[in-house]
Amino acid sequence: MREFDEALFKTKIDNIFIKIYVALTRENLKDIEHFVSKEVFEDLEKFLEDKKNKNQKQVYDEINVKNTTILNKKENDTLDIVEVELISRYMDYILDRKSGKIIEGTDQRRVERRNFLTFEKKKDSKEILLHQKCPNCGASMSINSSGVCKFCRSVFPLEEYDYILTSLTTEK
């Protein structure tokens, strides 16, 4: 496994985790697409679609990360893999889209959850810079914010440069 700054990695994980839950609440996954694998992105899309089909809106509010622990670092022929446990706290409730009333959960107190995340990085990944060029139109883009080109809306291929989330499970 190449040089690995554990503190920096944990900070990145915390930020990505919060961005994912904010994106789910906003029902807009475009800004997190470059942080996650295709499979994770499709699972998140299915989750939102299921809520919409049930005329529900999932809300996560006052999200924070209580603790992040790296459980395992391993590698295979092509990937560096990091498995993480993240303890989060947030309000977790579901609204009825028509009435706006809470139909499940509460907006009065936070719940604590154990989350298990797996991140993978290709061994032959390229060096990443703070500002990258859009792979489609060549415009400068900041990959730390949304990873989406503000001109052509292309998604930056982070999996060619850095760790991406390949698995996310939450214990209730």
Side-chain angles (χ1 to χ4, degrees):
M1 191 167 281
R2 292 187 265 184
E3 186 179 319
F4 186 81
D5 183 331
E6 190 168 308
L8 184 63
F9 187 76
K10 288 167 131 182
T11 299
K12 184 187 328 187
I13 290 169
D14 295 352
N15 289 329
I16 290 171
F17 180 85
I18 291 169
K19 284 179 185 240
I20 290 170
Y21 277 72
V22 168
L24 288 169
T25 298
R26 291 181 178 163
E27 299 179 317
N28 181 356
L29 301 177
K30 193 69 171 170
D31 288 348
I32 57 109
E33 186 173 4
H34 68 298
F35 289 122
V36 302
S37 68
K38 181 181 177 188
E39 295 79 16
V40 170
F41 188 78
E42 288 171 355
D43 288 346
L44 295 172
E45 282 183 317
K46 287 177 190 170
F47 174 81
L48 288 178
E49 188 64 31
D50 180 56
K51 294 296 180 207
K52 285 181 184 178
N53 289 340
K54 294 177 179 174
N55 204 29
Q56 299 173 343
K57 178 174 174 49
Q58 177 67 54
V59 179
Y60 300 105
D61 200 4
E62 296 185 19
I63 308 160
N64 69 30
V65 175
K66 182 177 177 182
N67 187 45
T68 303
T69 305
I70 295 177
L71 300 175
N72 192 15
K73 291 187 288 190
K74 58 187 177 183
E75 56 186 295
N76 62 30
D77 291 341
T78 58
L79 298 170
D80 291 334
I81 303 163
V82 182
E83 297 169 343
V84 176
E85 177 187 46
L86 184 147
I87 308 297
S88 58
R89 296 186 71 224
Y90 50 84
M91 288 189 221
D92 180 2
Y93 54 98
I94 299 172
L95 299 174
D96 178 85
R97 284 187 185 276
K98 289 180 185 169
S99 69
K101 294 184 179 185
I102 296 174
I103 56 175
E104 187 177 313
T106 180
D107 64 354
Q108 299 301 308
R109 69 181 183 296
R110 291 181 182 170
V111 293
E112 188 169 290
R113 302 273 194 250
R114 290 179 70 204
N115 307 274
F116 297 94
L117 301 88
T118 303
F119 286 83
E120 296 179 357
K121 180 178 182 178
K122 293 181 180 178
K123 284 192 177 286
D124 64 351
S125 62
K126 303 169 190 167
E127 183 70 27
I128 194 160
L129 304 171
L130 182 57
H131 292 281
Q132 293 289 331
K133 299 286 184 194
C134 172
N136 187 47
C137 73
S140 290
M141 58 191 299
S142 174
I143 58 162
N144 290 334
S145 56
S146 74
V148 176
C149 179
K150 61 185 173 186
F151 298 103
C152 72
R153 304 297 296 161
S154 291
V155 176
F156 185 80
L158 192 63
E159 70 274 3
E160 298 299 324
Y161 297 86
D162 203 356
Y163 286 93
I164 61 166
L165 179 68
T166 58
S167 174
L168 170 62
T169 57
T170 301
E171 285 185 0
K172 296 267 179 179

